[in-house]
Amino acid sequence: MSEEVETPVEETNEECNNGKQSKEKTVSYPLKVIYCPECSLPLEFCEFMPETVQVKCREWRENNLDILEQEGLEISSLTLDEPSGDKKRQKRGGRGNLKAKQKKEPEVIKIAKIPRGKRKFMTRVQGLATFDVNMKKASKLFAQKFSCGSTVSAPDEILIQGDVTDDLIDIILETWNEIDENHIQDLGEVKR
Amino acid sequence: MFRKFDENENVSSTNQIKSSVQRQIRATILQQMPKIEPYLQDIWPKKESARVMKCHEHIEILTVGEECLFFKQRDSPWYPTLKLLHKYPFILPKQKVDRGAIKFVLSGANIMCPGLTSPGADLNMDTIDDSAVAVHAEGKVNALAIGHMKMSPQKISEVNKGIGIDTVHYLNDGLWHLKIVK
């Protein structure tokens, strides 16, 4: 059974108003599937997320209509609001209900100076992971910038050898745009 | 399989694989999914060295560059990950479940026979018992799970009870969220 024949038939059946799109899609592989940045699923599956997440998905769609249009997607075919479906949805717990993911901790980056002996220090950074920063890469970056040792010592903690607090704040702000000065908290000298 | 899966807890080691082993894996993948052949070069370039993540419960995940591509458990065939399947949807035979089943599949349930035989669903008679399939859903374009046939399609329509397809990997599970750090 040849695949070129099979796919377009199925896709056009499934969504008539997206006919053009699916024909273009079948021409070149890999296909580009757009994932919702809020729930990470393909856009058509947002509707199966728990209510709390769906609110965010909906919000993102409203704010990013232009992007969706650029990709040639018709938002109308991916609506979230379904009056009839809502009634059927199980409201109380049960197996079919997905749970919302746990909320992230408050997003504060804590920088502390830890003494080692009398005049040497380590710098400890906590909270970078709440910003979805790749810890290993961040640690590597710090080690390179400060030419010193740096390690991921706990799931959300980086230890840097030497007192680099001031430079560190600059570098964090520079490399990750989503991090603001207000997010960073300098704890000063802390006993370990 | 990946219902509870966490990179820090379940991955025990990541190793680069020898080129001879790579060749073997390539051959088995081609044998299991012949339709992938023209594209395997793009998915997994020959020069790119692959890594295998060994995880608990004898799960092995094959990664190339920063992407997870295939995985397997013990002696199972290699399954593609959903991200890969979305890009190349033709590599696995399809099964379609009805709309009511979607939410259960998304929370990791196995696929029961009635979900495959009801009017909204589409039971693909060409699939073979004990092989990998892509699970699609009524009204949706993209696959929502990857499964392993537990019964032959004939038996599914005949018995119409119990588990028809074992869900191996589904949207929003641990493997879906797995990120690779080099």
Side-chain angles (χ1 to χ4, degrees):
Chain A
M1 186 177 15
S2 85
E3 199 44 53
E4 274 101 318
V5 187
E6 192 189 308
T7 18
V9 172
E10 209 174 290
E11 278 176 13
T12 37
N13 272 346
E14 276 164 11
E15 32 172 344
C16 305
N17 46 356
N18 242 9
K20 262 186 222 161
Q21 182 64 31
S22 53
K23 260 173 217 162
E24 278 169 32
K25 267 187 191 168
T26 45
V27 177
S28 68
Y29 290 103
L31 304 182
K32 205 173 153 201
V33 179
I34 303 171
Y35 299 112
C36 171
E38 292 298 337
C39 59
S40 85
L41 303 187
L43 291 173
E44 50 184 5
F45 286 105
C46 283
E47 55 176 311
F48 291 96
M49 292 308 283
E51 204 57 39
T52 40
V53 184
Q54 256 189 53
V55 173
K56 284 184 196 159
C57 299
R58 211 169 285 152
E59 204 173 284
W60 178 85
R61 280 178 197 202
E62 276 159 19
N63 296 336
N64 295 285
L65 285 178
D66 46 331
I67 300 178
L68 293 174
E69 232 158 85
Q70 262 178 30
E71 300 294 336
L73 276 172
E74 275 180 55
I75 304 103
S76 51
S77 66
L78 302 162
T79 41
L80 282 174
D81 310 292
E82 243 193 316
S84 58
D86 238 27
K87 278 174 203 160
K88 278 182 199 164
R89 175 164 280 136
Q90 215 175 339
K91 283 277 158 59
R92 297 164 58 213
R95 293 205 103 199
N97 271 7
L98 289 167
K99 273 174 205 145
K101 280 221 165 149
Q102 290 172 343
K103 273 180 201 163
K104 279 182 186 170
E105 304 151 44
E107 295 179 330
V108 181
I109 296 174
K110 289 180 188 163
I111 298 179
K113 200 164 99 175
I114 302 169
R116 281 180 72 81
K118 273 185 185 153
R119 34 180 278 241
K120 293 187 177 175
F121 294 97
M122 304 255 286
T123 313
R124 187 185 67 195
V125 193
Q126 287 173 316
L128 268 181
T130 49
F131 285 88
D132 272 338
V133 169
N134 185 331
M135 297 303 273
K136 269 192 187 168
K137 283 200 172 146
S139 145
K140 185 96 181 179
L141 174 85
F142 296 148
Q144 258 165 11
K145 289 267 175 174
F146 306 128
S147 25
C148 66
S150 170
T151 171
V152 183
S153 48
D156 194 4
E157 184 180 271
I158 294 180
L159 280 180
I160 309 167
Q161 292 179 349
D163 177 13
V164 289
T165 319
D166 298 337
D167 299 335
L168 183 66
I169 295 177
D170 294 339
I171 284 182
I172 291 180
L173 294 178
E174 239 173 69
T175 27
W176 296 286
N177 292 329
E178 65 270 26
I179 300 176
D180 207 75
E181 221 168 308
N182 306 328
H183 295 133
I184 301 180
Q185 194 183 2
D186 190 353
L187 302 177
E189 213 174 300
V190 168
K191 263 190 192 169
R192 49 149 116 226
Chain B
M1 202 197 269
F2 294 103
R3 200 163 195 172
K4 282 178 200 152
F5 189 84
D6 186 42
E7 200 200 339
N8 301 323
E9 274 175 30
N10 298 56
V11 179
S12 38
S13 71
T14 318
N15 284 325
Q16 209 152 47
I17 41 177
K18 280 195 274 179
S19 59
S20 59
V21 182
Q22 249 182 65
R23 226 178 303 135
Q24 262 175 32
I25 296 177
R26 229 178 247 275
T28 39
I29 287 176
L30 277 180
Q31 200 195 343
Q32 284 157 6
M33 297 174 257
K35 282 181 182 156
I36 207 174
E37 212 207 321
Y39 297 98
L40 190 63
Q41 201 48 249
D42 305 338
I43 300 169
W44 182 3
K46 248 188 191 150
K47 279 183 184 163
E48 200 85 41
S49 60
R51 287 156 174 272
V52 163
M53 291 167 88
K54 292 208 168 148
C55 314
H56 296 175
E57 292 167 16
H58 298 267
I59 295 171
E60 287 175 35
I61 304 171
L62 182 92
T63 67
V64 174
E66 300 215 331
E67 275 176 289
C68 303
L69 296 183
F70 300 95
F71 64 94
K72 73 172 211 173
Q73 184 174 34
R74 287 174 206 273
D75 298 329
S76 78
W78 286 96
Y79 304 103
T81 59
L82 272 169
K83 287 212 167 100
L84 179 69
L85 188 73
H86 285 163
K87 287 182 196 158
Y88 303 92
F90 51 85
I91 53 183
L92 284 183
K94 289 173 188 169
Q95 290 287 14
K96 201 154 100 189
V97 295
D98 59 9
R99 207 185 139 80
I102 299 178
K103 66 177 181 183
F104 296 100
V105 177
L106 284 185
S107 53
N110 291 326
I111 290 143
M112 301 293 168
C113 293
L116 288 163
T117 48
S118 74
D122 185 13
L123 183 62
N124 183 350
M125 286 310 214
D126 296 329
T127 47
I128 311 157
D129 187 15
D130 201 28
S131 67
V133 284
V135 180
H136 288 246
E138 181 186 356
K140 306 286 175 195
V141 181
N142 294 305
L144 82 162
I146 285 167
H148 193 95
M149 297 290 290
K150 275 281 175 185
M151 289 184 200
S152 65
Q154 288 77 19
K155 207 175 166 197
I156 288 178
S157 55
E158 208 176 281
V159 179
N160 208 9
K161 244 180 201 165
I163 298 169
I165 303 175
D166 241 351
T167 304
V168 198
H169 168 37
Y170 57 94
L171 282 179
N172 227 357
D173 68 354
L175 181 60
W176 175 259
H177 287 291
L178 186 63
K179 272 180 202 147
I180 295 184
V181 184
K182 265 196 176 165

